[in-house]
Amino acid sequence: MKYGYFDDKNREYIINNPRTPWPWINYLGNEDFFSLISNSAGGYSFYKDAKFRRITRYRYNNVPMDSGGKYFYINDGESIWSPGWKPCKTELDSYECRHGINYTIIKGEKNGITARVLYFVPLKTWAEVQKLTLTNNSKKVIKLKVFSFTEWCLWNAASDMENFQRNFSTGEVEIEGSVIYHKTEYKERRDHYAYYSVNVPIQGYDTDRESFFGLYNGFDEPQVVAEGKPKNTEAHGWSPIASHFIEVELKPGESKDFIFVLGYVENKEDEKWESKNVINKKKAKETIAKFNTSAKVEAALADLRKYWDNLLSIYTVDSGDDRIDRMVNIWNQYQCMITFCFSRSASFFESGIGRGMGFRDSNQDLTGFVHQIPERARERIIDIASTQFPDGGCYHQYQPLNKRGNNDIGGGFNDDPLWLILGSVSYIKETGDFGILNEKVPFDNDVSVARSLFDHLTVSFDHVVNNLGPHGLPLIGRADWNDCLNLNCFSNDPDESFQTTENKTEGSKAESVMIAGLFVVYGRDYVELCKRLGKDAEAARAQKHVDTMVDVIKKYGWDGEWFIRAYDYYGRKIGSNDNEEAKIFIESQGWCTMAGIGKEEGLCTKALNAVKERLDSKYGIVLNNPAFTRYYIEYGEISSYPAGYKENAGVFCHNNPWIMIGETVVGNGDRAWDYYKKICPSYLEEISDLHKTEPYVYAQMVAGKDAFKPGEAKNSWLTGTASWNFYAVTQYMLGIRPEYDGLLIDPCIPTDWKGFKATRKFRGATYQIEVVNPDQKSKGIKEVTIDGMPYKSNLIPAFGDGKEHKVKVVIG
Ligand code: GLC
Ligand code: GLC
């Protein structure tokens, strides 16, 4: 069953049934101020860091699900309703939610009134703007009582949820005119406050939650709304909220706009106060003034659209299949921006307090984003590298607010360093900016030990070389990309986290074949970089290590039909036919085939066939097979999950594209695209009841074939799946790939495709690409022309001349 439909022209997903199988959300803002918003206006806002600067409160895992948000209540004398159906849940005469690119429009109709709310964060603005439009569609004059609502969070989202003995006494607000200010802790150590305004005179307000709702009422039945009368309360402690009360009269056919601004301000120490205990409101008023008319708001929305027109014009495809085009051209790219902004921090599955920016995650995320805004990717690379240790090791995560490594989340994941090579190389190939390698970058944020980014790549490479195990394969450390393959934890205490418990690497023989494959792929990239910088001796040194690793993988990483996954603490195989459970894993098949290890001898084809046979399922490729059915203390968290979920034989979508790329290495376009479609959200729209999460974005995991409900997705939005799918489909399957010396066009498509068209803006030129496939092949180049002239190669030069060039490629 479907709950809506795509509007590709407007780049929107239009939900027309509010009872979606799970809240379907959107993100507002793309730089500093952010909001999450569901299809019924649930969600919250924060500034930069969802943990330390949470502006409005949200209760995860609540009953009912998705309670709390940016609500409007309308009392029309007959009924009390909300434009988004929730929280009142009064049946609406019509409902629609349009999730667009960084904006959401929710529209409800009841008793002759339409209430439409546009929510967005204007560019370069520390505020969310909400434009409420009320229209009287009836033939009589209608009087309405309208209440806005949002609930303040006491800034630190973690302590906000637990330290009630303090929290219930600290809340403070100020009310001036139509603006409600939240200033808890501003008196002491904070330099920031929040506010919620409306651009018309109000007839009342409330800021004390208990007075607004009544102590025993839910979001669906605020007492004040039912009584049609605000209490004009000023919160002192307990739970401060912000609610405006507006009386509205509408003639038949009349429409009125009300503009609300929910903002955040920081003031310098000596500019904090207007007078004793009265906050300095200057900046808030400036922002409010910027959006105090409908024309200004519409202009700001038009700017936001223009901004995205530009970002989404850099790579577009016309494949002849809408479901592919809308993902590649719109939603997958949008999701890449969102994962770039948030790593794994704030979604409806990630609470915004558990995790910051991941070293590994953010490097991968920026790979799907770098073509959009390379400067931001550049800055991110430097931020990430600044948290690295001098020996190449890393904090697993850092906090976005202070950009410092965060030890609470653990460390010692031995794949981490290599992803910095991926991030840096992706950036340089997109931009040609080798200069980034000369940037001085601190270690562990200590500027006194800053070295060039290139040196950071060297220590990243060497971190593997310096940490090899008994077979010459990389030691795994706490885990590799698979956070849950914890071969050195031996945890038997349910109260400790696998991610942070003691990492018993002393004397361990635990090695990772996946890191070995990763090392070959990014080690080669490192060698190539060295050569381009004229560092031939270093290139030769590194090449030797890479060559040795290839041999070691063939010798100790091959199981006969596929690549084994790892060796455990005691040096025993994992992911081998000899194992009772989990005989085969996806990660090593992905990385070793991407590296083309043993391609000539047929190892890649064999491994990929084994994936097809053992790991493929109706809903995607599962991570391992057979699933673990009991807890193995020597494997850790992976065997803690019930069979078919998460890292234990779930379809962990993040790694499916590795196999798709692997298939392109051996030229199997039919299979690569078959895998692509299985996890592609727009292909799953019809089975939304089962799939559950949004049909416009990827989820981290879909329950695998061993699960209770195969096909059910979880953890949508914040997943490396976004960037990896974009990377796989655009660079390897459509095959338009930035290289140091130009744009390589090397598609691998299904044999029944006649071709496709694409546009790529690249280093200051625009390429209009046409690929034709007269011989029904998947891969191979028969002919190339540029601007009508035959060209010798499929590596198209970076013209950088600001012009448009027509490139035609014939597959054969
Ligand atoms: C999560 C983590 C990512 C990890 C993956 C597999 O997505 O964010 O870092 O690689 O799980 O465990
Ligand atoms: C759990 C999850 C994994 C995630 C990790 C982050 O291990 O299974 O996906 O990366 O937590 O802490």
Side-chain angles (χ1 to χ4, degrees), residues 100 139 142 174 218 251 278 291 318 338 361 477 490 508 513 536 565 596 679 739 770:
K139 300 217 153 55
I142 294 185
E174 266 181 50
K251 295 189 209 77
V278 179
F291 305 104
D318 174 4
I338 299 301
D361 291 337
F490 296 92
S508 167
V513 178
D536 292 339
R565 176 65 176 83
I679 62 165
E739 292 287 356
E770 190 187 354

Side-chain angles (χ1 to χ4, degrees), residues 27 44 265 282 326 378 389 588 616 725 730-731 769:
Y27 286 82
Y44 59 93
V265 163
K282 188 163 164 273
R326 63 172 62 112
R378 190 184 207 273
F389 300 120
S588 41
D616 185 29
N725 265 284
T730 58
Q731 299 202 17
I769 301 159

